[in-house]
């Protein structure tokens, strides 16, 4: 029997994500890729006009995510930059091009087996760091994307994504090389591709991370 506490908690959580509209989600059914695609699309349409924080006023596009909606690997970045805001897709600038090369080196691509999104769906002006209040309002969207995609592995790209998902305040170096647990899904943290562009010395360690990532999803 379902008790009232459970129903109240469920309604509070869905209100947090969808506002006052009651949304009954379709759960992923194994091997039925259409159901996942439809529910992700439905979810996108239910949130893409979001005005929960001030970034809703300054954005050009709401950057939901891109890739294979039945992905085994979910990559989570920080927030859209200028190019992403203009194009409405994550990781389409210089850092994104590097990310695509890294994925290709482990025989993956954003079209097959990989989905990419960010903690924040809207661009912070002048690429400033996301504010805690913005992360708090946007994180339920990410949680629901994870819940719908049900990846085999989550990879946090950079410290902001890692500390948001792991709910801590550690340095990235202290979160790397550990198989964390995100509500039952393995999660690893690695360098943000923009950090690799800034500091070439980080590349060998990032390469070790991605070889390990490849093994974890095989
Ligand atoms: N950096 C991010 O964290 N995400 C993007 O989409 C682009 C750059």
């Amino acid at each position: 029997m379902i008790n009232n506490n459970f129903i109240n908690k469920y309604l509070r959580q869905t209100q947090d994500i969808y506002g006052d509209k009651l949304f009954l989600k379709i759960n992923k059914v194994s091997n039925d890729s259409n159901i996942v695609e439809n529910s992700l699309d439905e979810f996108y349409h239910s949130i893409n006009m979001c005005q929960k924080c001030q970034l809703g006023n300054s954005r050009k596009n709401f950057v939901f995510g891109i890739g294979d909606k039945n992905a085994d690997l979910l990559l989570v970045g920080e927030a859209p930059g200028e190019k992403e805001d203009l194009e409405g897709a994550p990781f389409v600038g210089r850092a994104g091009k590097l990310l695509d090369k890294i994925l290709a080196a482990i025989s993956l691509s954003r079209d097959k087996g990989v989905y990419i999104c960010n903690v924040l769906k809207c661009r912070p002006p002048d690429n400033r760091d996301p504010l805690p209040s913005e992360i708090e309002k946007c994180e339920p969207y990410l949680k629901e994307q994870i819940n719908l995609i049900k990846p085999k592995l989550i990879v946090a790209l950079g410290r902001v994504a890692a500390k948001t998902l792991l709910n801590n305040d550690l340095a990235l170096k202290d979160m790397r090389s550990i198989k964390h647990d995100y509500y039952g899904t393995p999660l690893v943290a690695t360098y943000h591709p923009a950090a690799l562009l800034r500091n070439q010395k980080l590349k060998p360690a990032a390469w070790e991370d991605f070889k390990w990532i490849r093994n974890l999803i095989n």
Side-chain angles (χ1 to χ4, degrees):
M1 199 172 78
I2 298 176
N3 69 32
N4 282 345
N5 282 348
F6 178 84
I7 294 172
N8 281 338
K9 188 168 169 219
Y10 175 78
L11 289 174
R12 265 202 314 279
Q13 282 173 345
T14 52
Q15 187 184 39
D16 193 28
I17 298 175
Y18 302 103
D20 289 333
K21 186 170 123 191
L22 181 61
F23 186 89
L24 297 174
K25 80 171 180 255
I26 306 163
N27 284 321
K28 179 169 179 174
V29 175
S30 59
N31 298 329
D32 195 338
S33 54
N34 285 338
I35 291 186
V36 183
E37 291 199 12
N38 291 343
S39 43
L40 255 192
D41 288 347
E42 218 173 297
F43 182 51
Y44 164 74
H45 288 293
S46 71
I47 63 170
N48 71 342
M49 305 298 276
C50 180
Q51 291 290 341
K52 282 208 241 165
C53 77
Q54 69 270 20
L55 301 182
N57 292 328
S58 53
R59 71 163 176 249
K60 298 215 169 34
N61 278 295
F62 183 89
V63 182
F64 182 71
I66 198 166
D68 182 348
K69 292 168 182 163
N70 290 284
D72 283 343
L73 178 61
L74 176 70
L75 302 180
V76 182
E78 179 176 324
E82 186 180 14
K83 202 145 193 269
E84 289 76 22
D85 183 40
L86 285 173
E87 294 191 22
F91 284 98
V92 288
R94 273 185 76 221
K97 301 276 175 287
L98 176 58
L99 183 60
D100 286 340
K101 278 193 197 161
I102 296 171
L103 290 174
I106 55 167
S107 309
L108 291 173
S109 81
R110 57 174 84 196
D111 301 326
K112 200 160 183 302
V114 181
Y115 194 87
I116 307 176
C117 64
N118 285 305
V119 172
L120 291 193
K121 309 303 183 211
C122 301
R123 180 192 180 209
D126 304 317
N127 298 341
R128 65 155 167 74
D129 286 348
L131 301 176
S133 61
E134 292 161 354
I135 293 179
E136 193 187 323
K137 296 207 172 76
C138 218
E139 196 187 351
Y141 297 157
L142 175 60
K143 282 196 172 142
E144 185 62 2
Q145 286 176 302
I146 295 171
N147 184 39
L148 290 169
I149 295 169
K150 294 196 174 16
K152 273 196 198 162
L153 179 69
I154 300 168
V155 173
L157 298 170
R159 181 165 182 256
V160 170
K163 70 179 196 156
T164 301
L165 288 162
L166 296 173
N167 196 22
N168 66 32
D169 205 17
L170 298 175
L172 183 70
K173 67 177 172 47
D174 297 325
M175 294 185 268
R176 269 190 67 238
S177 311
I178 297 169
K179 190 159 90 168
H180 303 270
D181 175 81
Y182 181 83
Y183 300 102
T185 304
L187 182 151
V188 303
T190 186
Y191 296 107
H192 192 288
L196 303 179
L197 289 173
R198 283 192 302 269
N199 185 354
Q200 302 279 330
K201 286 193 187 139
L202 299 175
K203 280 189 175 173
W207 178 231
E208 289 307 313
D209 290 347
F210 275 93
K211 284 194 288 184
W212 182 44
I213 288 163
R214 172 81 260 182
N215 283 337
L216 288 174
I217 53 172
N218 276 344

